[in-house]
Each structure stands twice: as structure tokens, then as C-alpha cells.
Amino acid sequence: MAEYRDITFGTDEIKTDDYFINIGPQHPSTHGALRVVAKLEGEIVQSVDPVLGYIHSGIEKMCESLSYPQLIHLTDRMDYLSAHMNNEAVCLCIENALQVEVPERVKYIRTIMDELTRIASHQLWWCASGMDLGAMTTFFYGLRDREPILDIFEETCGARMTFNYNVPGGLMFDIHPNFQKRVKEFLKYFRKKLPEYDRLVTGNIIFTERTKGVGVLSREKAIEWGVTGPSGRASGFSCDVRKHHPYSAYPYIQFNEKIGTEGDSYMRWKLRMDEMWESMNIIDQLIDNIPEGDFAIKMKGVIKLPEGEYYQRVETARGEFGVFIVSDGKKNPYRVKFRSPGFSNLLVLNEIVKGFKIADLVAIMATLDLVIPDIDR
Amino acid sequence: MGIRKKKLSEIESNDSPIISTHEGGSIVLANLDAMIDWARRNSLWPLTFGTRCCAIEFMAVGASRHDFSRFGNEVARASVRQADLIIISGTINYKMAPVLKRLYDQMPDPKYVMAMGACATTGGPFYYNSYAVVKGADHVIPVDVYIPGCPPRPEAYFYGLLQLQKKITKERYYTDKKRKKAEKE
Amino acid sequence: MTNEELKQVINLLTSEAIIKDGAQYLEVTLPAAGLRDICFKLKNNAETAFDYLFCLTGVDYPTYFEIVYHLDSTVYKHVIVLKARTENRENPFIDTVGDIWPTAYSHEREVHDLLGVTFNNNPDMRRLFLEDGWGFPLRKDYFDPIRIVER
């Protein structure tokens, strides 16, 4: 790999070695166990090679020996910050394959839980990436404001992070009687806190100098490399699955899909803050109108999907998540594939980081919002 | 009416570990032991090592509602040479195991290990039919305290931390006769 | 475009395709030799404009491997599923589509790592998650008595 330094007198050519550094699997800013081997010239990054596999657990192979309700419990652990949406993707896939219609109450509650999970995930993203860029305060503010959401989840679903609340056919149990009151209190509280976040970080001169113009991703590249979610929308790629292929209660509500044009880190940051406002508007439209009815329909004891292939797309906090089930009629699936948003988002890193410094590499990885167990499965 | 000091064998599980006596040595050495143990257990600084979902619960423990700096974990250090405690929060697989062993070897003594969550204890939800997961972090490094849960609540984490503190209280550096005899040989 | 119109477009482009109406999307099984040509035409044709490849999967069958491509169009919002088979299981080779949709380079690396299918002309065929010398775990005949605890 290394060439020797070759000083030839009389010419101006000095050959130098390539310098590789390793931002290893144990590092506070890699958001999980990701190893990045960066080739540098001085402090400027020439190319970047992510090495994956430090958290690979063989989930797809395990699913081939589990029954359908059992494999929902493993999808929680992949992208654990949007656990509710992952569960919902598998439940919707099974329900569409069996051509079963869930009650309206279930659709409304699933959508409200989705949007609360999205707000919680963006809060955690905000706190962790603020810390990457050096602002310790964002860590405490973000996690302080995430705790009321986790309290709401704990009262209704029983757990703080890995819920298992969705089952094929509906929900596991009905919502707590206090649910609507607590959600409305939380929305009132959070509407006062979000402008504080903006005043703290988004207008700060150090922050704008570090993120404007850094890591620009053009629209054509975003479509070619399959970058979805807020990272793709910041480049102008309109990819929101809630708008183009709606599911659950999304056909009944109005909301805007925010699209940016510049595609740099500042735009990605700003779009996620705007998405938190949109999520609150969606919950406002739904929280008072939850229809009465059952919380689940009766399904058979052993679920068997008819032969064929089924795909379901869902919008998680990171982008488009997909579940692909190949079934041969038995009670275990033949093949399950999870299309994770982080996989495509991470592997565009080499294209957008050329020519920037190491500190910019950290800023770009922070605004791409990666969760590594989602990539490695 | 004063506070009666309890012997180590009389301490029950809910007692505070501060009130104890160290027996088996002279007054100076026994009190020196007690002071060293007090200093070590109340200032454990953890390493930032989190792989899966338990890392988020670890971050929540460090934040403002449940605060681990009340128990001595003031800051979570990023460098291994400056940390006392490694909290394995998340799944360990065959590719990550040599990395974990290298981190443990680079830590200076005295070092302690806590296995947080079901994945680090025994492999967790990935025990059956998974080809890539090490079934428990204690196949790689020696573990002092196990905290079950998937993920464990912050209150469960604090119970584990207090149990580790009780374990440290029982260490005797100067008055340990067996160790001294082994060192002489 | 609806499924019927897509069927006509495919029939115009090639005569060897087996078209089936799946449960959700139109499924087209192509021979491996004509795959790249059809993919190129489907992407650049102004009426179909399939420019977004969102999922690439490998499935293991008893006598062959099947690679499944899910394509979407950002202009018309229609979805089609293409499938291609390798010839046998001992030496599975198939052409890459990475120069048409660059996201395929990384998905093909994953299929190579877990199933053992080699993609011709992919510049980066290293293993992704597992180390060199490991077998191919997602195959149905993968046997690992040391690491797997059977249930």
C-alpha cells in the first residue's frame, strides 16, 4: 500500500504516502458501532470508506425460523428510535397480504403514536448532533424534553423504547384514559420549547459557519443513490411516503411536505426542526377525533400468508423503510428483507465529503442522522 | 446514642455501604482500606461504549431527569485511559469482540465492568438461531455486575450501580492476607 | 401508467419476459442476459422514467438464486418489480446494474456477502458485514454448529 518517499533532485516532484486514519468503532460521535477509514492529505479528506458489520446480528436469517407475530418483536431493535413505525410496517404488510381491514380507531391511534415517535427521534437526533458539534447544552435540553413523551408511552404501551404495541390486526390493548389529556399538555409545553431550540442553535454564527455549504448533495445524486427522508428532501427530492403512498390515517389529514433546495448540512438541520412542527400539527388534527370502536380484530391463532411476495413502505424518522416478505404458504416466512433508510443514506458519504476537513466530516455524519443497527441489521 | 458500626457480614441489601468496618488488620491499614474503597466507589467514571438500544437508555440516565452524577459518575470519558468503568450496553458480535477485549486491556487498574441489558448478559433476543452474536459479554471479558432488562429502566441501572458500589466496599487492598502471601511467593 | 400499459411497454421491449400480476405490483421475470438492456431503456424512456431503485434483494431457491429489483419513478409514481435468475447455484454470476443506478453497488455488496452471488463489473466486490472466510449465512444449507444455538 505505501510507496516510499521519493525525492528526486532537479525536479519539483515529491511523492508522499497516503495517510489513513481510523475513526474507530468506539467513538462518541459515530452513533453506534461504525468504523470510518478516512484517507487524508493534511487535514483535508480525500476519500472515506465506511466499514460496517460491528453490530450485525443476523436478523434476516433469524426471521426465517420465527412466526409472524414473533418477528415483529425483532424489528423494534433495528431502528430503535422509530420502533413504532417499524412494527407498523410489518403489521401493515401482513394485513394487506391477508386483505383484512382494521378499524378506524386503530388507524388514528397508530398515526398519533407514529408522529410522537418522530418527535422523540428528532429530539434525540438534535441532542446527539449538537454534542458532536461541541454544544453540550443540547444534550440536556433534548433529553429533558424527550422524557414527557416517554412517560406517555410508558402509560399506554408499557415500555419506554421498545414497545411491541402493534400486532397484526390492531393494537395490543386500548389507550389509557389519560392519553388525550397528556398528549395535549405535552403539545402545549413543547410549542414553547421549540423556538428556544432555534434561538440556541440555528441562528448561532458558529453553527452557521460550520454547516452552510458543507456536504452538498444535489437532487440527481440523491435520487440515484436512494437518499430518502429529511436528508433527501433537503436536496429537492420529494420522497415522503406519507404523501405519495399513504397508509393508516394519513389520507384523512392535511400537512405540508417541506422541501429544500441547497442540499447542504444547514438545510438538513433546518428541515428536521420544521418536521417537528409539522408532526405537532398532524397530532392536533387527530387527537380530538379518535373514533370509538374496537382496538383489534380477531385473527386466527396461527397466521399463514398466501404464497407470493409482499412489500410495504413506511416513512420513519430517517427515511423510507420497507419490508419485503416472500411467503410459501407455511407459518414461517421464506425470506424477509428489510430495506433500511440508513443503508443508502450512509453509503453516499464518499460522494459528498471530498475536499472538506475532518471536523466537517463529523458535521456531515451528524446531519445525515444515522442509526447503525438499522444499517447492519 | 451513637451510630453503631456494623460488621460487613451484618449489612443487609438495602443498607448504605458507608457504615462498615474492615477487620483483619491494624487500625491504620484497615482505615486506609476503608478510605480507598470509599474514594473508588464514589468516583467511577464510565467509558462511552454503547452499541445498541441500551446506549440510549444510558444517555437518558446521564441526562437531567435521572442523573448519574449524583452517584459519582460525573462525566463519561471518551478515552479508555481515563475511565474506570466500562458499561457494555448493547449486543456484542464476533466482529466487535476483539475490539472490546482491546479496550478492556487498555484500561488501567482498578477497572470494573457492568453488563447492561439482556444482550450483554446472555445474548438477549438474539440467543436462538443467530450466527453472529456472542452469547453474553462474559465470554470476552470478566463482568462484575449484570443488569437484566431490554432495555433496563434507569432505576434498574441505579440498582446495579449501587450493587457494584457494595462489591467495591468489600475489597481490601492492604489487609488482604491471602493476596500478600501469594505475592511473596 | 397502469399495469396494463406497463405490460404493453415491456412486451414492446422484449419478447422473453414472463409477466405476472402480483398481489400489489406488476412482476416481470427476465432472462439474465437481457437484464441490463431493459433496465437502461426503462430508466431513460420518457414515458416510464424509472429512476429510483429502492430495494435490491437476493432470494435463495433450490436450483438458482433470484435477484429482485423494486423500481419507482419520481415523475409518474408507478412501481414495477423486475426479477432475474442466475443459472445455477455453484457459480452464481449476474450483471451489475450499478452504472445505471449507483445505489445498487452497495446493495449488491450485501447480496454477495450474505448469499455468495458475484456481480460482473461491480468495482467493489468486498465483503460488507462479515469477515473473509465466513460462509454465506443466508443460504438455506448454511450449517454452523459452533455459533448457532438451534431452537
Side-chain angles (χ1 to χ4, degrees):
Chain A
M1 160 183 99
E3 286 96 31
Y4 291 114
R5 255 182 78 150
D6 189 17
I7 304 181
T8 320
F9 292 102
T11 68
D12 290 342
E13 288 274 341
I14 299 183
K15 293 203 187 81
T16 52
D17 287 346
D18 296 327
Y19 186 63
F20 290 90
I21 70 166
N22 187 29
I23 304 179
Q26 186 263 329
H27 191 266
S29 86
T30 51
H31 304 284
L34 168 70
R35 178 172 158 218
V36 171
V37 179
K39 177 170 151 195
L40 302 176
E41 180 177 329
E43 185 141 337
I44 302 188
V45 177
Q46 306 284 48
S47 75
V48 145
D49 181 25
V51 179
L52 303 173
Y54 287 95
I55 194 72
H56 178 69
S57 315
I59 290 185
E60 295 181 356
K61 177 84 180 175
M62 282 169 77
C63 286
E64 293 174 9
S65 50
L66 294 173
S67 64
Y68 290 98
Q70 283 175 331
L71 67 94
I72 295 177
H73 141 88
L74 282 181
T75 54
D76 260 339
R77 273 102 185 134
M78 286 192 321
D79 180 2
Y80 39 80
L81 293 175
S82 344
H84 203 84
M85 294 128 171
N86 290 5
N87 290 351
E88 189 178 353
V90 179
C91 289
L92 285 173
C93 196
I94 297 174
E95 286 157 13
N96 288 340
L98 293 172
Q99 291 175 339
V100 147
E101 186 74 24
V102 288
E104 294 289 313
R105 185 176 173 85
V106 168
K107 291 186 186 171
Y108 273 65
I109 297 177
R110 275 180 178 171
T111 310
I112 296 177
M113 292 294 201
D114 268 359
E115 296 301 321
L116 281 174
T117 316
R118 196 184 309 270
I119 298 179
S121 169
H122 285 325
Q123 275 174 333
L124 193 90
W125 159 81
W126 186 73
C127 97
S129 32
M131 211 164 66
D132 284 349
L133 294 172
M136 241 351 241
T137 320
T138 59
F139 180 71
F140 294 105
Y141 280 16
L143 284 176
R144 169 196 73 182
D145 294 329
R146 189 168 177 251
E147 296 284 337
I149 303 186
L150 297 184
D151 282 342
I152 297 175
F153 284 146
E154 199 187 353
E155 218 178 21
T156 304
C157 315
R160 283 161 56 105
M161 201 157 63
T162 49
F163 315 117
N164 279 350
Y165 188 48
N166 280 324
V167 292
L171 305 168
M172 208 182 256
F173 18 72
D174 209 350
I175 51 175
H176 197 269
N178 278 346
F179 182 71
Q180 282 163 313
K181 182 172 78 117
R182 289 183 78 142
V183 170
K184 285 198 237 188
E185 270 172 21
F186 168 70
L187 289 180
K188 214 165 79 165
Y189 164 80
F190 197 53
R191 285 206 154 99
K192 291 194 221 120
K193 294 293 175 191
L194 259 189
E196 230 179 74
Y197 292 2
D198 274 331
R199 278 202 303 271
L200 186 65
V201 175
T202 317
N204 191 333
I205 182 90
I206 301 179
F207 174 74
T208 48
E209 291 289 310
R210 273 191 82 168
T211 50
K212 275 196 170 155
V214 167
V216 177
L217 179 70
S218 64
R219 184 176 182 268
E220 288 73 33
K221 270 216 168 117
I223 300 179
E224 278 179 352
W225 287 84
V227 178
T228 52
S231 317
R233 289 199 274 282
S235 310
F237 172 27
S238 159
C239 55
D240 199 338
V241 180
R242 301 175 285 171
K243 280 277 183 194
H244 299 313
H245 307 270
Y247 53 92
S248 283
Y250 289 111
Y252 308 144
I253 51 179
Q254 310 278 339
F255 68 100
N256 299 330
E257 180 188 358
K258 306 269 179 176
I259 302 184
T261 44
E262 292 101 35
D264 58 356
S265 297
Y266 183 75
M267 200 69 222
R268 293 194 275 265
W269 186 286
K270 194 146 177 345
L271 261 179
R272 286 199 179 93
M273 308 298 278
D274 287 340
E275 269 196 9
M276 285 204 256
W277 285 108
E278 283 302 319
S279 291
M280 289 203 282
N281 291 342
I282 294 177
I283 300 179
D284 262 340
Q285 291 175 41
L286 292 174
I287 189 72
D288 282 321
N289 309 331
I290 303 181
E292 301 295 321
D294 277 336
F295 59 87
I297 54 173
K298 196 112 179 60
M299 303 271 278
K300 287 200 201 127
V302 176
I303 297 182
K304 290 186 188 175
L305 297 191
E307 266 191 58
E309 305 180 355
Y310 309 99
Y311 195 94
Q312 176 65 35
R313 307 161 88 163
V314 151
E315 175 83 11
T316 61
R318 264 139 216 96
E320 179 187 322
F321 180 79
V323 176
F324 178 56
I325 299 185
V326 177
S327 162
D328 57 352
K330 304 209 178 89
K331 70 175 167 94
N332 305 335
Y334 188 76
R335 167 88 164 105
V336 177
K337 155 100 178 164
F338 297 106
R339 188 265 180 207
S340 63
F343 193 69
S344 314
N345 287 8
L346 169 66
L347 291 159
V348 81
L349 191 64
N350 197 15
E351 302 284 315
I352 60 179
V353 86
K354 290 189 159 78
F356 290 107
K357 304 196 169 67
I358 298 185
D360 297 327
L361 169 67
V362 173
I364 294 172
M365 272 169 49
T367 50
L368 278 178
D369 197 6
L370 306 166
V371 165
I372 310 297
D374 186 32
I375 298 176
D376 275 2
R377 276 161 271 136
Chain B
M1 297 272 285
I3 301 176
R4 184 183 143 273
K5 282 194 178 179
K6 293 187 185 172
K7 297 187 188 162
L8 263 178
S9 46
E10 289 171 355
I11 292 185
E12 307 189 13
S13 64
N14 284 337
D15 282 342
S16 157
I18 297 176
I19 308 171
S20 70
T21 55
H22 281 66
E23 298 151 351
S26 60
I27 292 185
V28 174
L29 286 182
N31 281 336
L32 199 56
D33 256 345
M35 195 173 76
I36 288 177
D37 285 337
W38 170 83
R40 280 182 186 170
R41 70 171 180 252
N42 288 335
S43 70
L44 291 166
W45 286 4
L47 173 73
T48 57
F49 182 80
T51 37
R52 229 185 176 108
C53 349
C54 287
I56 306 294
E57 284 293 334
F58 178 59
M59 283 162 66
V61 168
S64 40
R65 185 189 269 199
H66 323 270
D67 182 16
F68 61 13
S69 79
R70 329 177 247 168
F71 294 94
N73 302 357
E74 180 65 35
V75 275
R77 306 304 292 184
S79 160
V80 205
R81 312 268 182 192
Q82 299 168 354
D84 306 295
L85 170 66
I86 179 168
I87 299 182
I88 308 171
S89 45
T91 326
I92 302 292
N93 66 357
Y94 285 96
K95 202 166 178 183
M96 190 69 178
V99 174
L100 178 62
K101 176 103 183 43
R102 183 185 263 197
L103 287 175
Y104 182 72
D105 288 339
Q106 284 178 345
M107 276 170 83
D109 267 342
K111 52 193 175 191
Y112 305 99
V113 178
M114 257 184 14
M116 177 178 176
C119 290
T121 312
T122 57
F126 305 106
Y127 186 79
Y128 288 116
N129 299 324
S130 167
Y131 54 86
V133 168
V134 174
K135 318 279 187 261
D138 51 4
H139 290 277
V140 184
I141 55 180
V143 172
D144 290 314
V145 174
Y146 299 88
I147 307 177
C150 192
R153 287 198 53 120
E155 288 87 0
Y157 172 89
F158 287 137
Y159 186 71
L161 190 61
L162 289 175
Q163 296 292 88
L164 180 65
Q165 288 184 346
K166 287 195 178 78
K167 189 172 180 180
I168 296 175
T169 312
K170 294 192 177 153
E171 283 180 0
R172 302 167 190 192
Y173 191 74
Y174 288 108
T175 57
D176 195 352
K177 291 194 175 138
K178 281 189 206 154
R179 185 188 54 84
K180 277 195 199 160
K181 218 164 130 190
E183 269 176 17
K184 267 190 204 158
E185 289 154 16
Chain C
M1 295 170 95
T2 61
N3 281 356
E4 292 302 320
E5 292 166 10
L6 282 172
K7 268 191 209 174
Q8 284 167 5
V9 171
I10 302 280
N11 280 330
L12 278 177
L13 287 175
T14 174
S15 55
E16 298 168 335
I18 307 170
I19 306 185
K20 182 179 146 223
D21 261 318
Q24 285 165 298
Y25 308 125
L26 193 68
E27 296 174 12
V28 178
T29 309
L30 298 168
L35 176 69
R36 280 183 57 91
D37 205 27
I38 307 240
C39 287
F40 191 75
K41 287 183 184 150
L42 281 176
K43 180 180 178 189
N44 293 322
N45 189 347
E47 287 177 346
T48 51
F50 283 113
D51 50 357
Y52 173 35
L53 169 71
F54 59 91
C55 189
L56 204 162
T57 318
V59 190
D60 180 16
Y61 287 109
T63 48
Y64 55 89
F65 289 108
E66 186 169 74
I67 315 287
V68 184
Y69 304 85
H70 281 79
L71 300 169
D72 189 0
S73 165
T74 51
V75 180
Y76 301 108
K77 312 279 183 292
H78 47 213
V79 177
I80 198 174
V81 179
L82 297 180
K83 298 191 204 182
R85 297 181 181 177
T86 64
E87 284 168 13
N88 53 18
R89 284 193 75 186
E90 285 73 36
N91 286 330
F93 287 97
I94 198 170
D95 286 330
T96 182
V97 292
D99 43 353
I100 307 175
W101 297 289
T103 182
Y105 284 136
S106 18
H107 284 88
E108 286 169 358
R109 254 181 97 182
E110 185 197 341
V111 173
H112 171 71
D113 187 21
L114 295 173
L115 277 173
V117 178
T118 313
F119 289 85
N120 304 328
N121 298 327
N122 187 331
D124 193 10
M125 269 276 111
R126 299 173 289 167
R127 300 203 73 160
L128 187 63
F129 297 137
L130 302 170
E131 288 147 1
D132 291 326
W134 209 301
F136 299 116
L138 236 50
R139 291 193 179 184
K140 296 285 174 185
D141 51 3
Y142 179 69
F143 181 62
D144 195 349
I146 303 176
R147 292 188 191 107
I148 298 188
V149 177
E150 288 278 339
R151 184 184 196 166

